[in-house]
Amino acid sequence: MLDHCIARVWKKGGGIAGTAFLVTEKHLLTCAHVVNFVFGKEKNYTDKPTDSFEVDFPYFGKSKIRVKVRNDLWYPLPLEPSSQSDIAVLEVQNELPLGGCPRTRFFKKLDF
């Protein structure tokens, strides 16, 4: 049932940058380096992107939705390889075409 929650993250110029996972009805979790690939940046680029971009849910067709990186939840790859970062939380900017992942009911109590 997790296939309902898997999203493809699209590069600005076309093509797929990586994957994200729907964890609440309004938030997806991905790697910061995937977001950097969206904008054509190096994987360890540390500035938080401010532009929105697109994801889709292949299980539910090809309808794309806009997302944006949460200001307070951007943890890019650091220059020191020993650090454990590379996380980005994405916020949905419009309605999900699928009505939400069935598993998100479990996460409803999370408050981002």
Side-chain angles (χ1 to χ4, degrees):
M1 194 166 261
L2 288 178
D3 54 351
H4 294 76
C5 300
I6 297 171
R8 295 182 292 194
V9 179
W10 289 87
K11 293 180 185 177
K12 280 290 199 179
I16 297 172
T19 340
F21 299 92
L22 191 66
V23 293
T24 75
E25 292 177 351
K26 294 293 276 180
H27 299 96
L28 294 100
L29 183 66
T30 191
C31 294
H33 77 265
V34 169
V35 176
N36 283 335
F37 291 156
V38 166
F39 296 101
K41 305 289 185 188
E42 294 294 323
K43 69 178 183 179
N44 60 352
Y45 186 74
T46 58
D47 291 351
K48 184 192 78 64
T50 56
D51 292 343
S52 64
F53 53 97
E54 294 179 323
V55 302
D56 72 354
F57 295 86
Y59 185 83
F60 290 98
K62 301 205 186 297
S63 296
K64 293 181 181 175
I65 61 168
R66 306 290 305 169
V67 296
K68 200 170 186 177
V69 175
R70 281 281 306 256
N71 287 334
D72 55 336
L73 297 169
W74 169 251
Y75 305 100
L77 276 172
L79 297 177
E80 316 85 45
S82 62
S83 181
Q84 297 178 358
S85 293
D86 198 21
I87 298 169
V89 173
L90 311 177
E91 192 162 48
V92 175
Q93 301 294 296
N94 50 338
E95 289 297 314
L96 292 173
L98 53 141
C101 170
R103 296 279 185 199
T104 59
R105 288 188 287 274
F106 176 76
F107 295 106
K108 275 200 179 220
K109 295 184 181 178
L110 293 178
D111 185 21
F112 282 102

